[in-house]
Amino acid sequence: MGRVAGERFPSLLGLWLLLCSWGCPGNAELRAPPDKIAIIGGGIGGTSAAYYLRQKFGKDVKIDVFERGEVGGRLATLNVQDQEYEAGGSVIHPLNLHMKRFVKDLGLSTVQVSSGLVGVYDGEALVFEESSWFIINMIKLIWRYGFQSLRMHMWVEDLLDKFMRIYRYQSHDYAFSSVEKLLHALGGDDFVGSLNRTLLETLQKAGFSEKFLHELVAPVMRTNYGQNLDINTFVGAVSMACTDSGLWAVEGGNKLVCSGLLRASKSNLISGSVMSIEEKTRTKQTGNPTKMYEVVYQTGSETHSDFYDIILVATPLNRNMANITFLNFDPPIEEFHQYYQPIVTTLVKGELNSTFFSSRAKDKFGLSTVLTMDNLDLFINSVGITSSVRNKDDPQPSTDGTHVWKIFSRETLTKAQILKLFLSYDYAVKKSWLACPQYKPPEKCPSIILHDRLYYLNGIEWAASAMEMSAIAAHNAALLAYHRWNGRTDMIDQDGLYEKLKTEL
Ligand SMILES: Cc1cc2nc3c(=O)[nH]c(=O)nc-3n(C[C@H](O)[C@H](O)[C@H](O)COP(=O)(O)OP(=O)(O)OC[C@H]3O[C@@H](n4cnc5c(N)ncnc54)[C@H](O)[C@@H]3O)c2cc1C
Ligand SMILES: *[C@@H]1O[C@H](CO)[C@@H](O)[C@H](O)[C@H]1NC(C)=O
Ligand SMILES: *[C@@H]1O[C@H](CO)[C@@H](O)[C@H](O)[C@H]1NC(C)=O
Ligand SMILES: *[C@@H]1O[C@H](CO)[C@@H](O)[C@H](O)[C@H]1NC(C)=O
């Protein structure tokens, strides 16, 4: 199947190029492609940018991807007794179409992810518990919260519906020069404004009860972003979408998408840390003086440098994270000092001390995930049974009452805390992250265009941080770089795209 399509594609493309050489509107004078492009960061943002840049600029451009740690970045696994488990970005929404496309194009497989039965703990008792019976669940939800959970579902669906417009815009090659303009094209002032309102304000205004917000919505925010209802409305909606059904992950680990995209894009991985970027004038082989960017980077103790026509920065720009210096730019490139939220992932193989949450006998506990309310005294954000990245061959029902549990917390758990939470445990590993922005609306997203041919992807995280968001930012930056290189301003920041493309296939 794949081969047939692969063979047909070049001939169609050839035909199209032939037709275009006879005069496609606006396409007549494409400038020669750049020689070299640098991408800084080998996470999902950087590697998907490599993939889209290759698509746009063609096979002759040299693409270097700089990564100072592991390819995958915030997509990483931890090992527990010979099995790998997701330690960073773990679940993907069924409507995350870029991620879906990557998995398909790379020939990877998926696994379904379910959180099992969920309970919510308020620091003293469980305030809500799911039942394995759908009907009983509905009755419980309605009994306690009226029809709010249904309304919440509709609210999220409405936003998601508008959000999905991005795929149509991008498949028609349209790009945006700022995150705000991108959001505006999706959902107008309402979408842009959602970065300026807290989730709490928005949902209160929409008539959701305090009880529902604090008992069901806040615990979801706490698990996904380590924060509370004071985050912006947009990221709040993205976070609530994670309670939909049909969530999935990549078999073998989500990070396989990153290494796969690197290979598919025929990019060159440079395992090094970028220190500085400076614009300089160089004389190319053609003899013309050309403005290029010099990238200075370190591999081990050695310092190197190289020149690029275009640069995409695909890591949060912040002194504690990327620590890249922009030398001698006039005006100077904006410094971003925004804080990132610490989240520690701990994996524990052991038997949960269910009396920590409930006085019920341990064989009657039955929950696989416990979320927590926004309670400052509590040392965990959530705890839940987790499956390995190959969970098809994972023996699910445990015989000895032990499971691998994933705990999110703000700080590293002490041994005493782990012992409180577990009756016994064999093994514990952890990974500390600066996970996502600390959301404090009103939010101003960092610029995408930092300088003439210097682009920044991770500003989109200030709208919402997720794998798909990085992939969307990557596709956008690749299109933006391409159109700006070719002077195609008619493909950037177009108004009325939704109406314009509505009638097209
Ligand atoms: C605990 C946790 C749970 C999450 N859960 C989910 C989830 O369930 N679903 C979801 O969609 N998202 C989730 N996310 C968010 C998701 O993982 C991120 O949004 C996404 O992976 C970000 O990708 P990125 O490529 O933009 O950045 P990163 O993955 O951070 O990539 C940036 C890369 O740049 C490299 N780098 C930095 N500075 C330099 C330098 N100077 N030189 C060279 N290289 C450099 C870094 O080493 C890093 O590899 C989660 C994140 C965390 C931490
Ligand atoms: C949102 O707030 C930012 C920062 O205060 C401001 O610059 C921007 O104009 C506001 N946007 C909207 C749509 O209200
Ligand atoms: C950032 O890099 C500079 C050198 O380029 C170094 O002096 C400084 O300590 C680094 N800062 C952090 C927080 O790593
Ligand atoms: C389990 O948790 C309860 C409640 O916090 C605590 O009293 C008990 O000591 C814990 N059990 C173990 C074995 O740690």
Side-chain angles (χ1 to χ4, degrees):
M1 289 286 286
R3 277 207 34 212
V4 175
E7 278 161 14
R8 194 181 285 159
F9 184 59
S11 63
L12 279 178
L13 188 70
L15 180 65
W16 184 78
L17 286 175
L18 188 69
L19 289 172
C20 276
S21 64
W22 294 339
C24 266
N27 239 356
E29 21 185 351
L30 276 191
R31 180 181 166 192
D35 294 329
K36 282 169 80 184
I37 302 179
I39 297 171
I40 302 164
I44 187 67
T47 56
S48 50
Y51 181 83
Y52 291 119
L53 285 167
R54 177 66 71 208
Q55 254 181 19
K56 293 316 296 176
F57 282 109
K59 63 177 178 23
D60 293 332
V61 184
K62 187 164 182 274
I63 302 176
D64 285 345
V65 176
F66 290 91
E67 172 53 61
R68 69 169 175 200
E70 302 281 326
V71 168
R74 272 172 276 170
L75 306 184
T77 54
L78 278 173
N79 193 292
V80 176
Q81 297 179 330
D82 292 334
Q83 298 267 13
E84 302 278 323
Y85 297 83
E86 294 290 356
S90 51
V91 300
I92 305 168
H93 193 273
L95 293 176
N96 284 172
L97 300 190
H98 286 329
M99 290 302 294
K100 243 171 130 164
R101 173 72 187 273
F102 296 154
V103 164
K104 186 159 168 272
D105 285 0
L106 298 171
L108 295 167
S109 304
T110 62
V111 291
Q112 291 301 305
V113 181
S114 141
S115 45
L117 296 184
V118 181
V120 179
Y121 179 66
D122 73 353
E124 278 169 13
L126 291 166
V127 291
F128 182 77
E129 285 179 75
E130 261 186 328
S131 149
S132 50
W133 296 89
F134 178 77
I135 295 294
I136 295 189
N137 248 342
M138 287 318 274
I139 294 171
K140 273 179 146 180
L141 276 170
I142 292 167
W143 178 256
R144 197 165 172 92
Y145 308 107
F147 285 94
Q148 304 205 44
S149 89
L150 194 65
R151 275 190 55 215
M152 173 56 71
H153 188 75
M154 286 159 61
W155 180 75
V156 172
E157 198 144 297
D158 183 53
L159 264 103
L160 196 58
D161 215 47
K162 296 197 174 100
F163 180 76
M164 300 288 289
R165 293 175 181 177
I166 190 63
Y167 300 113
R168 174 161 294 202
Y169 301 165
Q170 293 194 329
S171 70
H172 283 83
D173 272 7
Y174 287 100
F176 302 93
S177 65
S178 74
V179 176
E180 278 85 1
K181 284 180 177 148
L182 185 151
L183 290 177
H184 194 268
L186 301 180
D189 291 340
D190 202 34
F191 258 45
V192 186
S194 72
L195 301 189
N196 283 4
R197 287 187 303 271
T198 67
L199 183 65
L200 184 66
E201 271 174 79
T202 305
L203 295 181
Q204 276 174 339
K205 259 199 205 119
F208 289 96
S209 74
E210 294 296 308
K211 192 180 181 118
F212 181 75
L213 294 179
H214 291 285
E215 292 182 0
L216 286 191
V217 182
V220 173
M221 301 307 133
R222 199 167 144 90
T223 306
N224 288 339
Y225 291 99
Q227 294 167 66
N228 57 28
L229 295 169
D230 292 335
I231 65 178
N232 79 62
T233 303
F234 188 80
V235 67
V238 168
S239 181
M240 282 314 286
C242 286
T243 62
D244 286 350
S245 57
L247 300 179
W248 56 282
V250 179
E251 185 178 12
N254 294 328
K255 65 180 180 184
L256 293 183
V257 174
C258 302
S259 48
L261 290 171
L262 261 186
R263 240 178 294 116
S265 66
K266 299 202 164 51
S267 307
N268 174 37
L269 174 67
I270 299 179
S271 299
S273 184
V274 171
M275 320 282 289
S276 67
I277 298 172
E278 181 172 9
E279 195 186 34
K280 290 192 170 165
T281 302
R282 296 267 293 172
T283 307
K284 284 199 180 179
Q285 279 116 329
T286 53
N288 298 331
T290 312
K291 288 199 162 164
M292 295 186 84
Y293 296 112
E294 181 179 35
V295 171
V296 175
Y297 62 98
Q298 251 177 353
T299 58
S301 56
E302 285 175 56
T303 304
H304 312 261
S305 89
D306 210 340
F307 286 87
Y308 296 91
D309 298 292
I310 296 175
I311 296 183
L312 269 65
V313 178
T315 170
L317 275 177
N318 157 328
R319 281 279 157 244
N320 298 321
M321 297 171 85
N323 197 13
I324 298 168
T325 307
F326 296 97
L327 287 170
N328 303 322
F329 281 89
D330 184 25
I333 285 178
E334 192 181 342
E335 288 248 8
F336 305 111
H337 293 295
Q338 295 134 318
Y339 284 103
Y340 267 62
Q341 177 73 24
I343 293 183
V344 182
T345 306
T346 310
L347 295 176
V348 176
K349 170 112 194 315
E351 190 178 2
L352 190 75
N353 176 13
S354 64
T355 35
F356 187 91
F357 301 108
S358 153
S359 55
R360 230 166 339 158
K362 73 177 182 190
D363 55 327
K364 296 258 161 47
F365 183 62
L367 298 180
S368 316
T369 302
V370 180
L371 309 183
T372 63
M373 283 174 62
D374 193 29
N375 182 327
L376 291 180
D377 297 337
L378 218 52
F379 58 87
I380 62 165
N381 296 348
S382 66
V383 53
I385 296 175
T386 185
S387 302
S388 87
V389 297
R390 307 222 174 260
N391 73 356
K392 277 178 189 148
D393 35 70
D394 214 19
Q396 260 306 303
S398 118
T399 45
D400 57 357
T402 73
H403 292 278
V404 177
W405 295 84
K406 187 192 279 189
I407 304 154
F408 290 130
S409 57
R410 202 193 147 85
E411 282 162 36
T412 302
L413 298 179
T414 62
K415 192 159 185 206
Q417 287 169 330
I418 297 179
L419 281 169
K420 247 177 147 174
L421 216 49
F422 290 88
L423 295 174
S424 64
Y425 75 97
D426 306 332
Y427 193 79
V429 272
K430 68 149 177 111
K431 187 152 177 82
S432 307
W433 300 102
L434 285 173
C436 57
Q438 261 176 26
Y439 296 104
K440 277 201 187 71
E443 224 97 73
K444 170 104 189 60
C445 292
S447 317
I448 297 176
I449 303 173
L450 298 182
H451 188 252
D452 195 19
R453 289 149 288 117
L454 176 55
Y455 302 91
Y456 180 34
L457 273 61
N458 290 70
I460 204 163
E461 287 193 68
W462 293 90
S465 174
M467 292 174 236
E468 185 73 6
M469 296 301 288
S470 288
I472 286 172
H475 198 173
N476 181 63
L479 290 169
L480 188 63
Y482 178 73
H483 295 317
R484 280 166 58 88
W485 183 263
N486 290 308
R488 290 291 304 271
T489 48
D490 58 319
M491 297 302 288
I492 302 168
D493 297 336
Q494 291 300 298
D495 283 329
L497 272 188
Y498 178 64
E499 293 304 322
K500 187 166 162 183
L501 298 178
K502 216 155 115 182
T503 50
E504 289 187 35
L505 278 177

